[in-house]
Amino acid sequence: MAAQTHPPYRRIADEIARRIADGTLAPGDRVPSTRRIAREWGVALATATKALTALRLEGLVEARPRVGTVVAARDRAASTEHRAPTTRRTPSTALPDRDLSRERIVRAAVDLADAEGLAAVSMRSVAARLGVAAMSPYRHVTSKDDLVLLMADAAFGEETYPAPPPEGWRARLELGARTLWTIYRRHPWLAQVGSLTRPLMLPSLMVHAEWALSALDGHGLAPETMLDLHVLFYSYIQGIAVHLEREAQAEAATGLSEDQWMDRQALAFQTITASTRYPVFTRLTSSFADGYELDLDALFAFGLTPLLDGIALLIADLPSGRAPS
């Protein structure tokens, strides 16, 4: 009966701790994500984040970039087990505000989004991750919307370009594309932030824009054409990258991996290919011995070549930048 008086996050943390103690979750194993905890325990994402933060502060789990939250090594976990209970810091025990800074808040939010997705980020969940009072981050960041912009600016600022640049506009654009893809790959949530019609006015993002526009400059293209090409170039990269996070969201929502989901579509796929309405699709898909595998990295690399080829034709055929009549 006493256990039922514990708050929901503590009950969840205790259950995961039990799995770690009995070996169900071994060192290095991924623990349930905030999305999975929210779904399985029927709690809010903030509560799920608070549970993982409690385990992290107790040394039982640790966050690993691009992996998620995993069970900590035995020596680290053991070192915390022998502490007096009063020395354990729970998410409700605030650190001094002097230990907080905007940079620390943004870094914690980026780490949280990398591990759990952008939907897991809130001012409260970031405070829980840092082990501070729920309202403390507001002393440095006014709102979640402002926090997301700061996160995006920090992420785009992680990569820079060489000076002097490589020779030729094509080499410069290709480097710009691969640099942005690297950033989106590192932070899958980033492609969800902003839209083409409402571009982000971020200094770090403008570095990438300036790089691409400088590559297009000086070839006789009209200003409108240059901006159109830049928007198309950027939207190509972002348009593929947006599916990195969407796949993670779909897996969290359904509990199925991409392969498992495709296996469940077998009957619908057979119905389509058995029909005579889609002969080209049927012929193409039947030509694959092991099926067609959609790899976003490979798709990005493949599509970049014809995109640059098209820009090359435009530069060669329209040196003045005037569109054909």
Side-chain angles (χ1 to χ4, degrees):
M1 292 293 295
Q4 302 215 353
T5 63
H6 293 167
Y9 87 87
R10 188 66 259 176
R11 294 200 296 270
I12 296 169
D14 289 343
E15 170 59 22
I16 296 175
R18 183 192 64 76
R19 297 178 191 178
I20 294 172
D22 66 19
T24 302
L25 291 171
D29 286 351
R30 288 192 63 177
V31 300
S33 66
T34 54
R35 293 168 175 169
R36 182 175 170 188
I37 290 173
R39 185 174 67 249
E40 292 187 0
W41 271 273
V43 296
L45 285 172
T47 300
T49 301
K50 200 171 182 180
L52 291 180
T53 301
L55 293 169
R56 188 178 300 108
L57 294 176
E58 293 165 9
L60 294 175
V61 303
E62 59 186 7
R64 293 184 184 172
R66 302 189 67 182
V67 174
T69 302
V70 302
V71 178
R74 291 291 186 196
D75 55 349
R76 179 180 172 188
S79 67
T80 61
E81 288 175 1
H82 299 293
R83 295 184 198 163
T86 55
T87 65
R88 285 187 174 182
R89 189 173 74 246
T90 65
S92 59
T93 305
L95 291 172
D97 277 353
R98 66 175 179 272
D99 291 342
L100 269 185
S101 66
R102 174 178 286 188
E103 292 73 19
R104 186 179 177 195
I105 292 168
V106 171
R107 184 69 261 169
V110 169
D111 289 343
L112 179 59
D114 288 347
E116 310 294 349
L118 190 61
V121 176
S122 67
M123 299 295 279
R124 183 177 293 274
S125 67
V126 172
R129 188 178 185 89
L130 289 168
V132 300
M135 299 302 292
S136 294
Y138 286 99
R139 297 178 183 272
H140 304 272
V141 181
T142 57
S143 68
K144 178 185 174 180
D145 289 343
D146 288 340
L147 177 59
V148 171
L149 291 178
L150 291 169
M151 292 164 59
D153 194 47
F156 282 121
E158 291 177 354
E159 298 290 334
T160 58
Y161 295 100
E167 290 292 333
W169 68 265
R170 185 172 184 129
R172 292 183 67 173
L173 276 185
E174 182 172 356
L175 178 58
R178 295 189 183 279
T179 298
L180 282 170
W181 182 254
T182 296
I183 294 172
Y184 282 130
R185 218 41 182 107
R186 187 183 301 143
H187 306 293
W189 53 269
L190 185 57
Q192 309 285 331
V193 181
S195 67
L196 290 178
T197 54
R198 300 187 181 188
L200 301 173
M201 296 291 105
L202 304 175
S204 294
L205 181 56
M206 285 307 303
V207 170
H208 302 282
E210 183 69 15
W211 177 267
L213 290 170
S214 296
L216 294 170
D217 195 25
H219 299 285
L221 297 171
E224 183 178 358
T225 303
M226 285 180 59
L227 288 175
D228 284 346
L229 287 175
H230 171 250
V231 171
L232 289 171
F233 174 76
Y234 177 75
S235 65
Y236 166 73
I237 305 164
Q238 185 195 38
I240 297 179
V242 75
H243 297 286
L244 297 169
E245 178 76 349
R246 286 181 180 175
E247 171 55 30
Q249 291 171 343
E251 184 169 342
T254 64
L256 300 173
S257 68
E258 183 181 354
D259 289 339
Q260 290 171 328
W261 185 85
M262 286 300 297
D263 288 342
R264 294 199 174 190
Q265 310 309 308
L267 180 58
F269 179 80
Q270 291 170 4
T271 301
I272 289 175
T273 54
S275 168
T276 59
R277 296 179 61 188
Y278 318 104
V280 177
F281 176 79
T282 301
R283 174 169 53 82
L284 288 175
T285 54
S286 63
S287 67
F288 295 101
D290 299 319
Y292 170 70
E293 182 176 354
L294 178 60
D295 183 299
L296 293 179
D297 291 295
L299 183 65
F300 162 76
F302 169 76
L304 187 57
T305 298
L307 175 61
L308 294 174
D309 287 345
I311 295 175
L313 289 174
L314 183 60
I315 290 176
D317 293 345
L318 299 172
S320 66
R322 292 191 298 272
S325 60

